[in-house]
């Protein structure tokens, strides 16, 4: 590719791309061919400030989310999507996520946190928009970028910070770490380090919900499961296997794709034959929705529909949230491949700034209210760090604990007690 | 020292006729015969009827009645919600099983053969075995992964591998391998009731074999302990450890050896993880010679672990190097004669036993 043709392509783009950066040669986004239907629509999806909710109809039973939202907007242009309490709750949750992740970065560079740490800055709208609609019994399954999912689901900041510091007061007593946040109490099957690994597990949790209702006859069991994963995962076999089975068995699950365009340094467009992920839903018989993941209110509207569908027993939904991570893939990632103009573009669409603007413009909250929340969250995060600092490291005996749920490892006898506690255990086995 | 004395005695008693000891299987007065297939089927049936949280999932387990007919009749009895025919998605449905187990259900995930479990091994190891540890005890995974393991007859390299050593090296998993119908029933029931992930390695060629079972075994609360081996045949000259189909071969070898004056003790391991080191070591301390038999590949196999364990704990008692008999160090060939050479046979066990007792020519060319 010679630089002259690069320059020609660049002029058609609204944001300038550095012609000498090697990565730009590969980005099909650069190609300006208007005849390509796909690229035309991608541009619309990426750059328009008001995103469309595209819902593909595969079967007649699919609900048209876009129509519902459009009706809402046209009928009630003056009524708001949220109340004051909800607005402040969303704001607080997003600020908590942002402040916590910023503190994680600080702590990592000070050596208090170690290993792999993946931060969620910029994607808060997806976590807050979805998880704040759930009940405690609903489950969330996430990936290694799971700190904010844990916080939104209700795991205390102290527990998450201690876990990151590797202290025994962490939510997994220091045995899991950044990538493996679990909480039985809050039904967070947090972190899975392998991408795509969480999706079948989430499908299993949804399966359990349906099984409890139909086989175990717990009639009111309508628990929904949310599976969060990224754009890179959508090329993995397990993703497709689960889309198939979830739709086949009509499981109460929502597959939430946090499409932040990058899998470490691999651009989504370089890795995927058809980058429009939401189109993969209808191929398996479920609705596929695309939403602007930098706008928490839009995400919340879509989430309400999808979660409602699942709760009513209508089956799974695939939601693609177009979002962006402001930091690198992990704290060890120098983040050299992403174009600064792209980053600036998305930084201008910071979800927290957008929500703040919405709340103030619609007189739902004043600057003072929001500043008070900022201050409160700062204190919460500081307190979490202090707590984690002062917590003890795990004792040596903790190394061998929790390998098995059955601590002696010899199984449970017919009387329900551990076999090794049975005095006849060492006699050997049943005599034939 | 003791070994040398014994050697001399053995030499003297070469032609002595040993009293007939029928230790292979003691027959109770009303011995019922049961195939391993029936044993597994009845165990699944009883566990599913006892606990509504137990469900079976796998390819062809429902309408086809099970690829090897292990789950025959279960679909009619329990319905499609509890006996699930899955699409061909090992990674997907193994993961679904793990997710369901996190929430208190007790899935039994069937792999058509354990070779296919390689497509799901991420879930067996990373989400099942490690979860209880990673979550500090919050998420236990009461799941059973079962299916035929090891070589069948003429099925080629990709359908014949033994996975016992692969899974047994992973902490957080329990790995069981039954031989007889009693083992199959007792261990499967124990596995389903167990709160931890269990890999249950069956053997396709054993499914049709019949064994006598006592009334105790037929009782619906019969359960065997996990982690205890069974001494199938008591002896005092050489210890032979084996699991799954190789137990049958070891017992036949023991019969042949008995005629030649060597009294072999055959241990049916039953549980590969946790390995019953105390029984093995106690036996070696008695006989002073050890032969490990397995069908899988020799390097880093089950025999290697047993050998290391015995060397660590009972080194002073060994009178001969430990003999490891394993499958040939090649992917399984297809041709029938080559396949026979690639899997241990009774003659190999007999030869090794004699070598361990210093009674035969040095070993023939190994593969």
């Amino acid at each position: 590719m010679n630089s002259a043709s690069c320059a020609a392509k660049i002029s058609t783009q609204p944001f300038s791309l550095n012609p000498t950066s090697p990565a730009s040669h590969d980005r099909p986004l650069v190609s300006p061919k208007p005849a390509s239907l796909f690229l035309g629509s991608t541009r619309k999806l990426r750059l328009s400030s008001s995103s469309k909710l595209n819902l593909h109809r595969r079967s007649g039973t699919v609900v048209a989310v876009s129509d519902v939202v459009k009706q809402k907007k046209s009928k009630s242009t003056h009524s708001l999507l949220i109340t004051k309490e909800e607005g402040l709750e969303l704001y607080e949750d997003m600020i908590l996520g942002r402040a916590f992740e910023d503190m994680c970065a600080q702590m990592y560079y000070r050596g208090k946190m170690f290993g792999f740490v993946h931060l969620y800055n910029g994607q808060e709208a997806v976590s807050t928009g979805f998880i704040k609609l759930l009940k405690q019994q609903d489950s969330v399954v996430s990936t290694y970028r799971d700190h904010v999912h844990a916080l939104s689901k209700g795991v205390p900041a102290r527990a998450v910070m201690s876990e990151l510091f590797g202290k025994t007061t962490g939510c997994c007593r220091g045995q899991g770490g950044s990538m493996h946040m679990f909480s039985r109490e809050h039904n967070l099957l947090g972190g899975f380090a392998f991408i795509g690994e969480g999706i079948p597990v989430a499908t299993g949790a949804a399966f359990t919900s349906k099984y409890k209702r139909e086989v175990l006859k717990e009639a009111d069991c309508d628990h929904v499961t949310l599976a969060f994963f990224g754009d890179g995962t959508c090329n993995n076999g397990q993703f497709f296997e689960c889309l198939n089975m979830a739709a086949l068995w009509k499981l109460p699950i929502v597959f939430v794709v946090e499409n932040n365009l990058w899998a470490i340094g691999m651009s989504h467009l370089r890795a995927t034959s058809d980058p429009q992920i939401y189109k993969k839903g209808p191929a398996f018989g479920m609705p596929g929705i695309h939403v602007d993941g930098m706008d928490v209110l839009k995400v919340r509207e879509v989430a309400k529909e999808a979660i409602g569908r699942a709760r009513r027993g209508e089956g799974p939904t695939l939601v693609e949230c177009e979002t962006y991570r402001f930091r690198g893939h992990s704290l060890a990632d120098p983040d050299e491949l992403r174009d600064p103009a792209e980053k600036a573009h998305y930084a201008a669409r910071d979800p927290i700034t957008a929500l703040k603007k919405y709340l103030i413009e619609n007189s739902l909250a004043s600057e003072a209210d929001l500043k008070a929340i900022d201050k409160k969250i700062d204190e919460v995060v500081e307190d979490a760090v202090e707590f984690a600092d002062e917590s003890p490291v795990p004792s040596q005996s903790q190394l061998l604990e929790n390998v098995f749920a059955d601590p002696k490892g010899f199984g449970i006898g017919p009387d329900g007690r551990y076999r090794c506690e049975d005095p006849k255990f060492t006699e050997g086995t049943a005599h034939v | 020292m003791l070994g040398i004395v014994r050697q001399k005695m053995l030499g003297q008693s070469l032609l002595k006729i040993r009293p007939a000891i029928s230790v292979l299987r003691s027959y109770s007065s009303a011995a019922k015969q049961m195939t391993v297939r029936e044993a597994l089927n009845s165990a699944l049936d009883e566990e599913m009827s006892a606990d509504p949280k137990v469900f079976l999932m796998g390819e062809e387990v429902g309408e086809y009645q099970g690829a090897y007919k292990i789950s025959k009749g279960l679909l009619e009895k329990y319905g499609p919600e509890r006996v699930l025919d899955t699409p061909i998605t090992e990674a997907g449905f193994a993961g679904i099983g793990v997710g369901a187990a996190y929430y208190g259900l007790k899935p039994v995930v069937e792999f058509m053969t354990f070779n296919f479990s390689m497509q799901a091994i991420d879930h067996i190891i990373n989400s099942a075995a490690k979860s209880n540890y990673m979550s500090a005890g919050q998420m236990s995974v009461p799941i059973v992964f079962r299916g035929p393991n090891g070589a069948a007859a003429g099925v080629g390299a990709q359908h014949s591998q033994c996975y016992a050593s692969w899974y047994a090296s992973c902490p957080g998993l329990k790995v069981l391998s039954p031989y007889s119908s009693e083992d199959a029933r007792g261990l499967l029931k124990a596995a389903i009731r167990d709160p931890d992930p269990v890999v249950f390695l069956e053997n396709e060629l054993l499914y049709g074999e019949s064994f006598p079972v006592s009334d105790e075994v037929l009782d619906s609360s019969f359960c065997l302990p996990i982690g205890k081996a069974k001494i199938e045949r008591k002896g005092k000259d050489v210890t032979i450890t084996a699991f799954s189909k190789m137990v049958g071969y070891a017992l036949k070898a023991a019969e042949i050896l008995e005629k030649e004056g060597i009294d072999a003790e055959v241990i049916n391991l039953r549980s590969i993880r946790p390995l019953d080191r105390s029984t093995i070591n106690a036996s070696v301390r008695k006989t002073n010679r050890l032969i490990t038999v397995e069908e899988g590949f020799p390097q880093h196999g089950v025999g290697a672990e047993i050998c290391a364990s015995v060397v660590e704990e009972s080194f002073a008692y060994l009178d001969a190097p430990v003999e490891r008999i394993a499958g040939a160090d090649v992917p399984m060939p297809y041709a029938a004669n080559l396949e026979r050479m690639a899997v241990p046979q009774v003659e190999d066990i007999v030869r090794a036993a004699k070598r361990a007792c210093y009674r035969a020519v040095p070993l023939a060319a190994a593969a």
Side-chain angles (χ1 to χ4, degrees):
Chain A
M1 268 191 191
N2 57 54
S3 51
S5 62
C6 261
K9 287 170 190 169
I10 288 164
S11 60
T12 59
Q13 301 305 310
F15 51 87
S16 61
L17 295 163
N18 185 350
T20 55
S21 100
S24 66
H25 291 280
D26 291 327
R27 290 211 200 110
L29 194 59
V30 181
S31 160
K33 298 196 199 89
S36 162
L37 198 58
F38 148 67
L39 284 171
S41 58
T42 310
R43 242 195 281 163
K44 271 192 255 163
L45 289 172
R46 295 279 173 258
L47 305 176
S48 64
S49 50
S50 65
S51 89
K52 301 183 182 38
L53 298 165
N54 289 316
L55 186 61
H56 279 239
R57 288 174 185 273
R58 178 81 168 186
S59 64
T61 56
V62 164
V63 170
V65 173
S66 52
D67 291 342
V68 169
V69 177
K70 273 186 207 150
Q71 277 167 17
K72 257 196 199 161
K73 280 190 175 162
S74 57
K75 270 188 207 161
S76 49
T77 39
H78 296 291
S79 83
L80 303 162
L81 290 168
I82 46 170
T83 64
K84 176 175 183 180
E85 290 79 34
E86 287 171 356
L88 291 178
E89 191 195 348
L90 296 178
Y91 184 79
E92 185 174 333
D93 194 53
M94 292 209 287
I95 286 281
L96 174 61
R98 182 67 62 89
F100 190 92
E101 297 290 71
D102 285 339
M103 183 59 78
C104 282
Q106 263 193 56
M107 292 295 118
Y108 188 85
Y109 294 128
R110 283 196 212 164
K112 302 244 180 96
M113 234 180 259
F114 37 89
F116 287 130
V117 180
H118 307 84
L119 298 182
Y120 202 73
N121 296 54
Q123 298 181 197
E124 294 88 0
V126 180
S127 173
T128 303
F130 269 94
I131 300 182
K132 282 304 172 193
L133 291 169
L134 295 179
K135 304 189 288 202
Q136 179 150 4
Q137 297 92 347
D138 294 324
S139 332
V140 167
V141 177
S142 176
T143 58
Y144 44 75
R145 206 179 295 281
D146 56 350
H147 307 167
V148 180
H149 293 137
L151 294 170
S152 292
K153 195 66 177 56
V155 181
R158 282 181 161 194
V160 181
M161 191 61 86
S162 304
E163 183 62 31
L164 293 170
F165 281 31
K167 300 292 175 81
T168 199
T169 45
C171 56
C172 295
R173 297 173 73 203
Q175 290 179 218
S178 163
M179 296 189 286
H180 305 293
M181 297 278 168
F182 289 88
S183 169
R184 165 64 78 200
E185 190 195 331
H186 299 280
N187 286 303
L188 172 77
L189 306 181
F192 285 96
F194 278 55
I195 61 151
E197 193 181 346
I199 307 176
V201 173
T203 313
F207 176 86
T208 309
S209 164
K210 182 161 181 269
Y211 189 93
K212 280 186 179 163
R213 194 173 54 237
E214 291 177 3
V215 178
L216 300 178
K217 308 289 181 212
E218 292 171 26
D220 53 352
C221 182
D222 60 353
H223 307 325
V224 168
T225 307
L226 297 185
F228 290 93
F229 47 94
D231 44 285
T233 310
C234 296
N235 295 327
N236 188 278
Q238 290 180 87
F239 169 62
F240 298 110
E241 293 183 10
C242 291
L243 285 184
N244 179 41
M245 286 193 275
L248 182 66
W249 295 328
K250 280 197 137 99
L251 299 180
I253 182 172
V254 183
F255 296 100
V256 184
V257 184
E258 293 167 327
N259 183 355
N260 57 20
L261 295 180
W262 291 90
I264 307 187
M266 187 67 166
S267 151
H268 175 57
L269 301 166
R270 278 180 70 206
T272 317
S273 56
D274 184 350
Q276 295 176 301
I277 300 172
Y278 66 91
K279 289 200 313 198
K280 299 181 186 181
F284 289 93
M286 70 178 85
I289 309 175
H290 175 276
V291 67
D292 176 5
M294 305 304 272
D295 183 335
V296 65
L297 299 174
K298 292 194 185 114
V299 172
R300 197 177 148 91
E301 287 304 306
V302 167
K304 267 192 208 158
E305 258 304 316
I307 293 174
R309 242 178 75 84
R311 253 194 240 293
R312 290 189 297 270
E314 290 167 24
T317 316
L318 175 67
V319 181
E320 178 187 353
C321 302
E322 182 205 329
T323 180
Y324 202 76
R325 53 170 162 83
F326 294 157
R327 289 181 180 267
H329 164 72
S330 72
L331 288 173
D333 175 20
D335 196 17
E336 288 159 345
L337 290 174
R338 299 196 302 173
D339 186 62
E342 187 189 64
K343 291 191 214 175
H345 171 77
Y346 280 98
R349 293 168 57 197
D350 187 332
I352 294 180
T353 328
L355 181 65
K356 197 166 167 178
K357 190 160 160 252
Y358 183 91
L359 289 173
I360 291 178
E361 276 177 8
N362 292 287
S363 311
L364 285 172
S366 64
E367 278 274 359
D369 291 337
L370 301 179
K371 278 221 171 357
I373 292 180
D374 288 348
K375 191 161 173 300
K376 176 176 154 203
I377 293 296
D378 276 340
E379 281 165 22
V380 165
V381 174
E382 289 278 347
D383 167 72
V385 173
E386 265 182 46
F387 175 78
D389 257 339
E390 287 161 17
S391 297
V393 287
S395 63
Q396 286 201 336
S397 59
Q398 204 182 303
L399 179 67
L400 298 176
E401 282 175 24
N402 294 132
V403 178
F404 285 134
D406 150 24
K408 308 289 177 107
F410 289 106
I412 310 241
D415 55 3
R417 288 172 35 229
Y418 291 119
R419 288 213 84 95
C420 54
E421 285 164 16
D422 179 355
K424 293 174 67 186
F425 180 67
T426 49
E427 270 181 19
T429 60
H431 294 291
V432 181
Chain B
M1 186 171 59
L2 215 63
I4 297 169
V5 170
R6 183 170 294 174
Q7 227 179 312
K8 288 196 188 133
M9 279 173 58
L10 280 171
Q12 285 162 10
S13 63
L14 181 60
L15 296 169
K16 188 170 159 189
I17 296 168
R18 296 266 185 159
I21 308 165
S22 70
V23 289
L24 279 178
R25 293 160 202 141
S26 320
Y27 288 73
S28 59
S29 54
K32 185 174 177 281
Q33 294 276 346
M34 190 183 228
T35 59
V36 173
R37 182 178 284 121
E38 285 163 16
L40 294 167
N41 185 282
S42 61
L44 276 171
D45 193 357
E46 285 162 23
E47 291 303 305
M48 285 180 77
S49 75
D51 186 351
K53 299 202 288 285
V54 178
F55 68 96
L56 178 63
M57 175 158 67
E59 293 157 13
E60 309 295 1
V61 295
E63 291 191 10
Y64 198 78
Q65 310 294 321
Y68 297 99
K69 308 298 180 216
I70 305 296
S71 50
K72 189 166 179 184
L74 296 180
L75 177 65
E76 286 86 66
K77 211 166 161 189
Y78 298 103
E81 285 135 7
R82 293 186 67 194
V83 178
L84 288 132
D85 278 323
T86 60
I88 308 176
T89 52
E90 274 78 11
F93 67 73
I96 289 186
V98 173
Y102 280 2
Y103 279 94
L105 298 187
K106 294 181 160 226
V108 177
V109 175
E110 174 172 316
F111 292 115
M112 203 181 277
T113 77
F114 260 92
N115 299 276
F116 307 154
S117 75
M118 288 200 284
Q119 301 213 322
I121 199 168
D122 172 35
H123 281 289
I124 301 176
I125 309 283
N126 277 323
S127 26
K130 297 183 183 171
S131 284
N132 200 59
Y133 191 83
M134 287 198 297
S135 68
Q138 293 177 79
M139 309 290 178
S140 83
V141 190
I143 193 171
V144 176
F145 297 102
R146 51 161 291 270
N149 175 54
V155 290
Q158 292 185 348
H159 282 71
S160 308
Q161 188 166 337
C162 174
Y163 288 87
S165 60
W166 281 35
Y167 290 120
S169 70
C170 185
L173 277 184
K174 295 179 185 172
V175 180
L176 303 175
S177 190
Y179 161 63
S180 62
S181 308
E182 174 200 341
D183 292 353
R185 253 183 81 80
L187 292 176
L188 186 55
K189 277 167 165 297
I192 294 175
R193 294 178 195 188
D194 198 270
D196 287 307
V198 180
V199 170
F200 194 82
L201 305 170
E202 302 157 6
N203 189 296
E204 192 204 327
L205 298 175
L206 284 178
Y207 282 154
E209 268 198 47
S210 259
F211 296 87
V213 284
S214 68
D215 291 332
E216 188 183 353
V217 174
L218 293 171
D219 182 58
S220 71
S221 63
F222 174 68
C223 209
L224 286 175
I226 294 176
K228 287 303 288 179
K230 180 180 181 191
I231 299 182
E232 295 276 353
R233 180 190 197 280
K234 277 196 155 38
K236 53 186 191 28
D237 293 332
V238 61
T239 301
I240 307 178
T241 66
F243 61 94
S244 190
K245 194 159 103 231
M246 292 292 124
V247 176
Y249 284 30
L251 290 169
K252 287 200 197 98
E255 274 176 48
I256 296 174
L257 287 167
E258 192 193 338
K259 297 193 189 79
E260 311 212 7
I262 299 177
D263 190 17
E265 177 152 297
V266 176
I267 300 183
N268 171 4
L269 290 175
R270 282 184 170 174
S271 170
I272 317 295
R273 188 180 182 101
L275 198 56
D276 192 354
R277 296 170 210 273
S278 48
T279 300
I280 298 169
N281 277 287
S283 174
V284 170
R285 289 177 188 210
K286 188 173 68 167
T287 64
N288 308 115
R289 294 160 209 281
L290 176 62
I291 300 169
T292 66
V293 187
E294 61 183 305
E295 222 179 22
F297 300 134
Q299 188 167 342
H300 308 298
V302 175
E305 175 64 30
I306 295 176
C307 177
S309 170
V310 164
V311 161
E312 281 166 14
E313 293 178 34
S314 315
F315 182 65
Y317 293 83
L318 280 172
D319 285 342
V322 175
E323 297 271 351
R324 269 192 301 173
I325 299 176
D329 202 13
V330 296
M332 184 67 65
Y334 170 70
N337 63 327
L338 293 179
E339 191 182 24
R340 219 175 305 119
M341 288 203 292
V343 174
Q345 303 295 335
V346 177
E347 305 83 61
D348 298 319
I349 306 177
V350 170
R351 244 199 333 264
K354 289 183 183 170
R355 271 200 310 271
C357 298
Y358 304 130
R359 308 208 57 228
V361 285
L363 52 93

